Amino acid sequence: MPPVSARLPVFPWDRLEPYKATAAAHPDGIVDLSVGTPVDPVPELIREALTGAADSPGYPTVWGTAALRDALTGWVERRLGATGVDHTQVLPVVGSKELVASLPAQLGIGPGDRVAFPRLAYPTYEVGARLAGAEPVPYDPETFAAGAAATELDPAGLKLLWLNSPSNPTGRVMDKDELRAAVAWAREHGVLLVSDECYLELGWDADPVSVLHPEVSGGSFEGLVAVHSLSKRSNLAGYRAAFLAGDAAVLGELLKIRKHGGMMVPAPVQAATVAALGDDAHVAEQRERYARRRSALREALEGCGFRIEHSEASLYLWATRDEPCWDTVGALAELGILVAPGDFYGPAGERNVRVAFTATDERVAAAARRLGGGLPKA
């Protein structure tokens, strides 16, 4: 049998290693703005919940505790504006990346089927399609802005349509009209729509809306699933805490499959998730940190000739100097600043870089100082 890994592209981050070495050689150290991993402390109330549940010798359930399901349904109603959400419409998962990579296979999608995802996108959407043996189909989500009739998507064989708003890497936010058009198109053609909304609480110049909002969904979750994560909003990337909300029939099928696969969120993480979703104060505090860092980096980048595109939400600035992205990566590495090349997210990103503002205040200030001196000449 050929190895399954042969279906997949080269792991993109390996290509960045030489530039990371260059940046790390800077006398003042590297400023790593590439991956976007949280660096701020886990809020105390979440750590207390985790340690309070540390004595958990038994197996957790895949569906989660009743307290966790209550926390999930309550948050979906309070934050996403949905109403009447019950336990059959939520499902905890072991981090959103695991879910994205494995969802097509868990849904029974395979050879002869097609999976669509935004043309500029998190690479794992394509990986999930390829792992399942399905055909990956990049599309331009902006076509929904002109109405469902204008979309470039061919529904033939299409089983799964990914949305990502706010977008990684661009930070673009789909408005309610675009979301409604996507929902209408997917329902018309019998395609499951899954919306990755992991950055929904990090809107800056726009107010992101969930696909489950009644003004988008029409008050029904039929054919719709939203993916949410606590990694960014609560600094819980190390906890692998995420969940799904939406169509009870789809989540019920996934629950059956995940029971057989033993895909269980650890009991202490379930308790931590309850605490995290029940508190909005730490989210507001973290937003303030990110807002300061975003402002400092944006000003510094624009001051040395970058143009910022989209970036109205998420944890990234989508920046360009109208040159090949690897040239930009190399120039910034000479300043000790590491960013992600735009082509990691598809060929359409070949002249952009993604700049994360998840570094500490001190490292962001260091990057701003270095950018103030301009980029080295080619």
Side-chain angles (χ1 to χ4, degrees):
M1 292 179 62
V4 175
S5 62
R7 304 175 190 171
L8 306 179
V10 174
F11 187 63
W13 295 99
D14 291 344
R15 297 166 55 200
L16 201 57
E17 285 302 312
Y19 299 89
K20 185 175 183 179
T22 297
H26 190 278
D28 186 38
I30 189 172
V31 179
D32 192 342
L33 308 178
S34 61
V35 176
T37 188
V39 298
D40 299 302
V42 174
E44 183 63 30
L45 84 163
I46 300 176
R47 284 184 278 167
E48 290 176 355
L50 182 83
T51 57
D55 186 15
S56 297
Y59 291 111
T61 64
V62 172
W63 200 17
T65 63
L68 175 58
R69 297 195 299 274
D70 283 343
L72 296 178
T73 56
W75 186 88
V76 169
E77 291 190 345
R78 185 179 81 252
R79 184 62 186 84
L80 305 187
T83 57
V85 185
D86 64 44
H87 285 190
T88 67
Q89 296 170 308
V90 292
L91 181 66
V93 296
V94 190
S96 59
K97 184 169 185 176
E98 170 269 322
L99 184 281
V100 172
S102 63
L103 183 62
Q106 290 183 48
L107 292 171
I109 294 170
D113 297 327
R114 301 163 72 235
V115 174
F117 51 86
R119 194 173 305 283
L120 275 168
Y122 185 47
T124 313
Y125 304 127
E126 179 179 355
V127 166
R130 292 188 180 280
L131 284 173
E135 177 189 352
V137 181
Y139 75 96
D140 184 355
E142 293 185 4
T143 59
F144 286 118
T151 181
E152 68 188 84
L153 280 169
D154 178 359
L158 191 64
K159 302 298 183 183
L160 173 60
L161 171 66
W162 281 105
L163 300 185
N164 180 210
S165 176
S167 164
N168 174 16
T170 69
R172 182 180 180 272
V173 174
M174 297 179 71
D175 63 28
K176 288 180 181 178
D177 288 339
E178 292 176 288
L179 292 171
R180 275 193 293 265
V183 168
W185 187 89
R187 285 174 170 167
E188 177 185 355
H189 297 290
V191 177
L192 177 65
L193 188 157
V194 182
S195 180
D196 183 348
E197 301 173 353
C198 290
Y199 297 93
L200 186 128
E201 295 196 278
L202 294 162
W204 310 110
D205 304 322
D207 187 14
V209 177
S210 173
V211 75
L212 302 183
H213 191 286
E215 293 182 14
V216 174
S217 69
S220 167
F221 289 177
E222 181 183 359
L224 306 176
V225 175
V227 182
H228 284 273
S229 167
L230 280 72
S231 293
K232 306 300 195 276
R233 51 94 72 189
S234 297
N235 299 333
L236 296 188
Y239 285 45
R240 312 313 303 134
F243 63 94
L244 307 179
D247 191 322
V250 176
L251 299 194
E253 176 66 12
L254 290 174
L255 176 60
K256 293 177 184 177
I257 293 163
R258 295 174 73 84
K259 284 180 177 178
H260 282 289
M263 299 176 185
M264 301 172 284
V265 175
V269 175
Q270 293 190 28
T273 300
V274 172
L277 292 178
D279 178 72
D280 294 331
H282 78 275
V283 180
E285 181 180 350
Q286 189 60 43
R287 276 182 55 86
E288 291 177 4
R289 292 190 186 107
Y290 285 141
R292 292 194 306 270
R293 296 165 186 169
R294 177 180 184 268
S295 178
L297 284 171
R298 180 166 195 150
E299 181 179 350
L301 288 165
E302 291 178 334
C304 68
F306 281 90
R307 184 175 69 255
I308 306 300
E309 298 177 340
H310 297 302
S311 305
E312 58 259 30
S314 83
L315 290 178
Y316 314 105
L317 294 169
W318 187 237
T320 182
R321 292 204 303 169
D322 295 310
E323 65 183 4
C325 60
W326 286 98
D327 290 354
T328 308
V329 170
L332 288 170
E334 293 293 333
L335 294 180
I337 300 170
L338 188 67
V339 299
D343 66 2
F344 275 12
Y345 308 94
E350 64 183 1
R351 298 181 75 80
N352 290 74
V353 294
R354 194 195 73 171
V355 183
F357 41 90
T358 53
T360 63
D361 290 344
E362 185 275 331
R363 289 288 82 188
V364 166
R369 285 195 303 273
R370 297 175 196 180
L371 289 167
L375 269 65
K377 301 296 184 183

